[in-house]
Amino acid sequence: MATPKPEEISHPPMDQLQGLEYCIDSNPSWGINTLLQTLFGTRLPTVVGASYAFMVPIMSIIHDSSFTSIQDDHVRFLYTMRAVQGALIVASSIQIILGYSQMWAICSRFFSPLGMVPVIALAGFGLFDRGFPVVGRCVEIGVPMLILFVAFSQYLKNFQFRQHPIIERFALLICITVIWAYAHLLTASGAYKHSPEKTQENCRTDKANLISSAPWIKIPYPLQWGAPTFDAGHAFGMMAAVLVSLVESTGAYKAAARLASATPPPAHILSRGIGWQGIGILLSGLFGTLSGSAVSVENVGLLGSTRVGSRRVIQISAGFMIFFSMLGKFGALFASIPFTIFAAVYCVLFGLVASVGLSFMQFTNMNSMRNLFIIGVAMFLGLSIPEYFQEYTVMAFHGPAHTRAGWFNDFLNTVFTSSPTVALIVAVFLDNTLDYKESARDRGMPWWAKFRTFKGDSRNEEFYTLPFNLNRFFPPS
């Protein structure tokens, strides 16, 4: 047998992924944030939604002794919501300042393809506990959903109807509809009538009469829970969540750009997106949504699953989100879908995002022991440290940081519970201190450098130019 040629063994690095049908410039409460981000932010096809990063400070506010002492449940709810609103409004200033002052653009100069590998990869891998561990709570629904979604999105993707890849484009909708109907059939037939309460909670589709008790129309409006209250401790804790959502969104933007066949967002575009994300968190606080926002990792993965990286599709979806947010019955209908179904989808979508992060290794020298050390340590600690913080919290009912200063506890417990944030701290520190001057080429900096500025690559104008000719008033920095 003839010795294979070098080009037959390896594949050359590629700026853009192949096989995507639409690029981001194709023209064929979360809804507003998504619309703002796709119009004036990074302009990438990303959905903005609630972030798990805000759970620690929000739970801290809920369990604040000044609120738990209130006897009336409704009054306690109102005071808690006002406190969360106030904390979100104050904390949003972090992203607004870092974004619009271009400080985050300056920080991003320390990022390299090598440093971004663990950050983007753990934006997906770091959510592993929301995948199969949740599927296992109701295997009769979760496992069929996982198998069906893989079959439709991958094995049947070439099936076409009138030259349109219907199965590939709508695999998620088809699978959710089929398995949801199957789950409803099991519920209606009494399959879970004598099952443990935990099983019924994860499998039934008639949870707590959601649909019957929801109003037909409910229009959200600012300050619907009353005037927000401001507390320095709550605000500092929430600032940690805002910083974490900033890091996680940065990794998601990088992944979305790759899956949308765009160039990596230049530094000022990334910073502009963070600024608008801060505006989104401010709106979340004003509308009383209980949680701040970040880029939805699962929807970034969906770009790869459908192979449609269209900004227009996301903008239309934002319109639907705004419309359905006013129809209580429709929201309750979607809320009746067992979360196990979504967990099965997460197994695929989070994995796709993680693999995009790993694809950045092609621009680095993976025969370098320095690079292997940085990626290995950053990824391991990015998984291990948050796991320690989460296990400690479950066992002790509080995080490892447990001092009299509640804001300090919330800050540390929030930051070190996020896998991408830990990975960024470790990877960027090691990458910029360990033989960094002699390792520019190994780190992938020659490839990365041309994407740092707006005019560094001719394709940037096509992808990231503001609409309505606004670049005349806000020229790229």
Side-chain angles (χ1 to χ4, degrees), residues 286-342:
L286 290 173
F287 277 88
T289 59
L290 187 62
S291 172
S293 57
V295 175
S296 169
V297 176
E298 52 268 39
N299 280 279
V300 172
L302 194 59
L303 298 178
S305 175
T306 60
R307 294 195 301 162
V308 176
S310 173
R311 183 190 299 130
R312 184 63 56 83
V313 170
I314 301 300
Q315 290 169 345
I316 294 173
S317 300
F320 278 110
M321 282 191 279
I322 294 171
F323 176 71
F324 283 120
S325 69
M326 304 177 190
L327 302 178
K329 293 290 186 186
F330 280 97
L333 180 67
F334 294 133
S336 70
I337 302 175
F339 190 73
T340 310
I341 293 178
F342 295 114

Side-chain angles (χ1 to χ4, degrees), residues 33 67 74 78 81-82 142 152 166 227 241 305 328 353 397 407 442 449 465:
N33 294 347
F67 300 137
H74 182 66
L78 290 178
M81 288 299 299
R82 292 168 187 171
F152 273 54
I166 300 297
S305 175
V353 173
F397 299 104
W407 65 269
D442 289 348
T465 299

Side-chain angles (χ1 to χ4, degrees), residues 337-357:
I337 302 175
F339 190 73
T340 310
I341 293 178
F342 295 114
V345 177
Y346 291 166
C347 293
V348 176
L349 302 186
F350 291 160
L352 270 171
V353 173
S355 66
V356 172

Side-chain angles (χ1 to χ4, degrees), residues 154-171:
Q154 301 302 314
Y155 290 95
L156 300 177
K157 63 183 178 183
N158 294 322
F159 176 83
Q160 296 189 348
F161 178 74
R162 295 182 179 179
Q163 298 184 334
H164 294 290
I166 300 297
I167 296 294
E168 183 182 41
R169 294 287 182 271
F170 301 102

Side-chain angles (χ1 to χ4, degrees), residues 156-429:
L156 300 177
K157 63 183 178 183
N158 294 322
F159 176 83
Q160 296 189 348
F161 178 74
R162 295 182 179 179
Q163 298 184 334
H164 294 290
I166 300 297
I167 296 294
E168 183 182 41
R169 294 287 182 271
F170 301 102
L172 181 61
L173 287 177
I174 295 172
C175 294
I176 287 181
T177 302
V178 170
I179 300 301
W180 188 13
Y182 165 63
H184 186 70
L185 184 64
L186 290 177
T187 302
S189 64
Y192 303 114
K193 186 175 293 185
H194 304 293
S195 299
E197 185 177 343
K198 200 71 176 175
T199 302
Q200 296 194 40
E201 182 182 329
N202 289 282
C203 299
R204 297 185 70 95
T205 59
D206 57 352
K207 296 180 252 183
N209 300 313
L210 280 174
I211 300 175
S212 60
S213 60
W216 276 105
I217 297 176
K218 180 176 175 59
I219 299 177
Y221 56 91
L223 307 182
Q224 58 184 316
W225 311 117
T229 57
F230 300 96
D231 179 270
H234 296 161
F236 275 115
M238 196 67 76
M239 285 178 184
V242 168
L243 288 173
V244 167
S245 76
L246 181 153
V247 172
E248 293 179 350
S249 293
T250 297
Y253 287 137
K254 302 282 188 184
R258 190 144 179 78
L259 287 171
S261 196
T263 56
H268 92 279
I269 298 294
L270 192 62
S271 200
R272 187 176 75 192
I274 293 302
W276 278 104
Q277 187 170 302
I279 296 293
I281 295 175
L282 176 62
L283 290 174
S284 298
L286 290 173
F287 277 88
T289 59
L290 187 62
S291 172
S293 57
V295 175
S296 169
V297 176
E298 52 268 39
N299 280 279
V300 172
L302 194 59
L303 298 178
S305 175
T306 60
R307 294 195 301 162
V308 176
S310 173
R311 183 190 299 130
R312 184 63 56 83
V313 170
I314 301 300
Q315 290 169 345
I316 294 173
S317 300
F320 278 110
M321 282 191 279
I322 294 171
F323 176 71
F324 283 120
S325 69
M326 304 177 190
L327 302 178
K329 293 290 186 186
F330 280 97
L333 180 67
F334 294 133
S336 70
I337 302 175
F339 190 73
T340 310
I341 293 178
F342 295 114
V345 177
Y346 291 166
C347 293
V348 176
L349 302 186
F350 291 160
L352 270 171
V353 173
S355 66
V356 172
L358 298 178
S359 75
F360 276 82
M361 288 194 290
Q362 66 182 306
F363 307 114
T364 67
N365 178 14
M366 292 315 295
N367 292 315
S368 164
M369 282 304 301
R370 172 192 179 276
N371 290 1
L372 292 173
F373 173 82
I374 291 173
I375 289 181
V377 171
M379 290 193 69
F380 185 84
L381 290 180
L383 288 170
S384 186
I385 291 177
E387 183 67 15
Y388 163 72
F389 270 72
Q390 290 170 11
E391 286 188 2
Y392 192 103
T393 303
V394 170
M395 297 295 293
F397 299 104
H398 59 77
H402 188 59
T403 67
R404 292 184 178 180
W407 65 269
F408 179 77
N409 302 336
D410 291 345
F411 198 95
L412 286 186
N413 292 331
T414 300
V415 168
F416 290 105
T417 305
S418 166
S419 290
T421 306
V422 174
L424 180 84
I425 294 170
V426 175
V428 172
F429 175 78

